[in-house]
Amino acid sequence: MNTLLKVDGVHTHIKQYHILQGISFEAIEGQVSVLLGRNGAGKTTTLKTILGLTPASQGRITFRDIDITKKPTHGIANTGIGYVPEDQGIFASLTVEENMKVAMRKEDEATLAKREYILDLFPDLKTFWKKDGGLLSGGQKQMLAMARAFVGNSKLLLIDEPSKGLAPIVIEKVMEAILDMKKHTTIVLVEQNFIMASRIGDTYTLIDNGETVQSGLMQELIHDEQVKRKYLGIG
Amino acid sequence: MELLTNLTINGLATGMLIFLLAAGLTLIFGLMDVLNFAHGGLFAWGAYSSVWFYALTDSFVLAILGAILTGVILGFITEKLIIKPVYGNHVQQILITLGFMLVLTEMLKVVFGPNQIAVRTPENLVGSWEIGDVIIIKYRVFIIIVGFLVFGIFQYILKKTKIGLIVRAGVLNKEMVQTLGINIKNVFLYVFIAGASLAAIGGALFAPYSGVIYAEMGMEYAILGFIVVVIGGMGSFPGSLLAAILVGLVGSYMAYYVPSLSLAVNMIIMAIVLIFRPQGLFRAKG
Ligand SMILES: Nc1ncnc2c1ncn2[C@@H]1O[C@H](COP(=O)(O)OP(=O)(O)O)[C@@H](O)[C@H]1O
Ligand SMILES: [Mg+2]
């Protein structure tokens, strides 16, 4: 059980606002760690802070034993972290192929093999290979965002609410894909859909008002009706 | 027929010069979100340095290369010292680049003297062709060809190379590009230098075209450059070409047929475009 990412007592300020006020959790290699919490709890900001987009004002973030707290975003990405933002961040007027290409640092055999693998997982992307990213459906954009983060040679993927706004049948596909990708990479997943979160998460971290409330095994949370009601409004 | 051909060629040539100025402005705005009011200064420096290199080497090719070199050096210095500290702040950008524009203009006077300088057309480009009754001035055709050539080269870089792809992606979403491991600050610097070089080429071509250069010329043409960027669509390279040709042609026809309107016409075109297509003719972002 190797700790790949360690977030330790992190605070983040955006302008004058004190958004994160003590976030701590770990991502274990080969697992899916889920961040849970109400709207506005600070889940997205946590991912952005890991990536240096909204840098931490306090605390420490280590990835593969490297302190990345103060590194610039591109440097953090290059240590092996891929990002799938909430709005997917597709380059609308670039083709699917070009969207993937921006992320590919090299075009060596290993990277091309990764691309082959991920395109087999999302055959739609192959179909629309020469089509502009902006013309894809919501589900296809989600797939492209995940595929793009994956080919960037990432050891860790940060995925923000991949099920948001998608039809149930598409959610099913995305979920299957994440479970498959898990064989190749570690994942930190923000997910409001508890059914999805509980099916693919190994561990969870509960965030409320910018603070970590508790962490543990997903199996345990599934049966903890009290916590689910209090922090997630379900159960 | 003769008149119309001449007005058209003249308009196209002017359009190409404005394009070379606007191309850098639009890339710098589109990618870096920077309003660079010092851009005209690089155009003027390109003109002066090409005249200086031409006097030194007697070769117009070397004169243009000399202008490009000047553009690269000044572009590098400008980005590092003037632009970098004010990323993300439009008001500061306007103030500091306007100030730097004045510095560039005054420096020209210090280095090359305060008076305007007469410029001759390079020997092998002097003269004209006669086709029937139509007389076509060689140098204007030369400008048009170089303009399209530069457009082609840059379009190739933007569409077919990895750095071009990164620039296009950066125009659409800077944050995302960084999370894909790309140091956007380096990309900014390259784009700024490329834009400065384009302006310098424009200045170098402008000198023999107008026959005279003066320190304030940068300011005058930069305004046309900005108008073209707005008409073409901020951040759109092909949009700039199209808008520049439009402004060049309309300006040329108006100067002959309705001279009283020739100054106002650019503003009128811009207003019409802004009313019907606020994002400009071409849309780069979104
Ligand atoms: N750029 C910003 N400026 C001000 N407040 C922000 C900004 N970004 C996020 N916030 C605030 O931070 C809190 C956490 O937001 P976020 O991390 O997006 O929550 P979540 O992803 O859990 O829904 C919210 O209250 C939100 O309004
Ligand atoms: Mg969120």
Side-chain angles (χ1 to χ4, degrees):
Chain A
M1 297 264 274
N2 229 339
T3 300
L4 195 62
L5 175 81
K6 190 168 187 318
V7 177
D8 191 7
V10 161
H11 289 235
T12 299
H13 287 78
I14 301 179
K15 287 168 255 164
Q16 73 270 36
Y17 307 109
H18 193 170
I19 309 278
L20 299 187
Q21 316 187 9
I23 298 280
S24 301
F25 72 96
E26 294 183 3
I28 308 293
E29 196 161 4
Q31 295 197 347
V32 175
S33 313
V34 182
L35 303 184
L36 294 168
R38 277 189 270 257
N39 259 330
K43 305 179 296 297
T44 297
T45 308
T46 300
L47 297 190
K48 288 191 169 181
T49 297
I50 294 168
L51 281 159
L53 292 169
T54 55
S57 44
Q58 198 184 316
R60 203 172 130 96
I61 304 168
T62 45
F63 177 64
R64 297 159 88 193
D65 298 322
I66 307 165
D67 186 344
I68 58 167
T69 320
K70 300 225 149 31
K71 275 183 184 279
T73 297
H74 67 94
I76 293 169
N78 285 333
T79 58
I81 300 182
Y83 181 40
V84 182
E86 213 166 351
D87 66 2
Q88 295 136 9
I90 299 302
F91 303 117
S93 60
L94 303 191
T95 63
V96 170
E97 178 183 20
E98 288 173 329
N99 266 277
M100 299 283 284
K101 208 168 180 168
V102 180
M104 293 166 65
R105 304 317 309 275
K106 293 175 281 186
E107 296 205 13
D108 55 0
E109 252 170 64
T111 312
L112 290 174
K114 280 192 119 183
R115 190 175 77 176
E116 238 2 81
Y117 159 79
I118 202 77
L119 289 179
D120 284 339
L121 209 52
F122 300 124
D124 277 16
L125 297 182
K126 254 191 208 161
T127 312
F128 298 118
W129 195 233
K130 297 283 180 190
K131 196 166 163 178
D132 278 0
L135 301 175
L136 300 179
S137 72
Q140 289 161 348
K141 278 184 185 154
Q142 191 59 51
M143 293 169 196
L144 176 54
M146 293 192 342
R148 187 178 58 182
F150 185 80
V151 293
N153 231 355
S154 307
K155 308 276 181 295
L156 171 71
L157 289 185
L158 310 178
I159 308 180
D160 201 347
E161 296 208 39
S163 70
K164 201 166 133 187
L166 300 184
I169 185 163
V170 185
I171 295 182
E172 194 68 30
K173 258 202 221 173
V174 168
M175 194 152 70
E176 293 297 326
I178 292 177
L179 282 172
D180 210 305
M181 286 160 81
K182 184 187 159 184
K183 295 180 209 149
H184 304 271
T185 181
T186 307
I187 293 169
V188 171
L189 177 71
V190 169
E191 188 49 68
Q192 295 275 56
N193 178 333
F194 189 70
I195 295 171
M196 176 162 170
S198 60
R199 270 179 57 188
I200 56 183
D202 295 298
T203 62
Y204 73 92
T205 296
L206 200 53
I207 297 175
D208 200 43
N209 284 324
E211 254 185 294
T212 309
V213 177
Q214 66 180 63
S215 297
L217 296 177
M218 189 57 87
Q219 279 313 315
E220 293 164 10
L221 180 65
I222 291 172
H223 304 292
D224 194 335
E225 300 301 332
Q226 199 189 339
V227 167
K228 274 165 38 183
R229 199 163 25 242
K230 184 164 175 208
Y231 293 105
L232 304 172
I234 47 173
Chain B
M1 180 63 200
E2 184 196 339
L3 178 67
L4 199 65
T5 310
N6 271 326
L7 290 178
T8 303
I9 288 177
N10 204 8
L12 279 175
T14 314
M16 284 305 176
L17 294 173
I18 304 170
F19 162 68
L20 290 169
L21 241 174
L25 278 178
T26 204
L27 284 180
I28 291 165
F29 183 84
L31 178 70
M32 301 151 72
D33 198 25
V34 165
L35 295 163
N36 177 20
F37 282 92
H39 204 64
L42 302 165
F43 180 79
W45 270 89
Y48 272 84
S49 59
S50 74
V51 170
W52 187 83
F53 276 106
Y54 187 63
L56 191 74
T57 62
D58 218 21
S59 153
F60 194 50
V61 173
L62 289 180
I64 291 178
L65 290 177
I68 294 174
L69 181 69
T70 306
V72 169
I73 294 170
L74 278 180
F76 181 85
I77 294 171
T78 311
E79 201 275 342
K80 287 280 179 198
L81 295 184
I82 306 294
I83 305 291
K84 208 168 188 182
V86 294
Y87 276 124
N89 188 326
H90 283 157
V91 175
Q92 287 184 5
Q93 284 162 16
I94 293 170
L95 294 176
I96 196 169
T97 58
L98 269 179
F100 192 60
M101 173 79 206
L102 295 177
V103 172
L104 286 174
T105 306
E106 291 310 307
M107 286 296 288
L108 276 177
K109 293 180 190 165
V110 171
V111 177
F112 298 99
N115 301 322
Q116 57 179 40
I117 298 174
V119 182
R120 282 177 303 112
T121 306
E123 247 143 69
N124 35 7
L125 294 169
V126 174
S128 52
W129 294 293
E130 278 179 49
I131 303 168
D133 349 318
V134 184
I135 295 169
I136 297 172
I137 295 169
K138 279 186 190 174
Y139 188 72
R140 291 181 184 168
V141 176
F142 173 75
I143 290 180
I144 297 169
I145 292 170
V146 173
F148 275 118
L149 203 66
V150 169
F151 175 77
I153 291 169
F154 270 77
Q155 195 65 355
Y156 178 84
I157 294 172
L158 280 172
K159 292 279 181 198
K160 299 286 179 203
T161 67
K162 183 75 190 261
I163 180 75
L165 177 63
I166 290 170
V167 170
R168 284 187 292 140
V171 168
L172 297 167
N173 190 338
K174 279 186 275 292
E175 200 168 79
M176 198 62 226
V177 164
Q178 284 168 279
T179 67
L180 295 173
I182 293 150
N183 185 351
I184 199 94
K185 289 192 178 138
N186 285 345
V187 182
F188 282 4
L189 179 64
Y190 302 148
V191 165
F192 198 89
I193 289 175
S197 308
L198 285 174
I201 295 172
L205 294 177
F206 172 84
Y209 176 70
S210 99
V212 58
I213 57 176
Y214 47 97
E216 282 81 10
M217 59 183 268
M219 200 60 122
E220 268 175 54
Y221 272 77
I223 292 167
L224 285 178
F226 270 106
I227 291 175
V228 158
V229 168
V230 172
I231 295 175
M234 306 239 188
S236 168
F237 202 69
S240 282
L241 179 71
L242 204 74
I245 289 177
L246 181 71
V247 165
L249 285 176
V250 172
S252 174
Y253 298 143
M254 287 306 234
Y256 186 82
Y257 292 109
V258 201
S260 57
L261 264 185
S262 68
L263 280 178
V265 70
N266 293 320
M267 294 294 171
I268 296 170
I269 300 176
M270 186 162 78
I272 293 173
V273 168
L274 284 179
I275 289 167
F276 292 102
R277 278 185 74 84
Q279 72 275 38
L281 295 178
F282 284 62
R283 187 200 178 98
K285 302 199 186 216

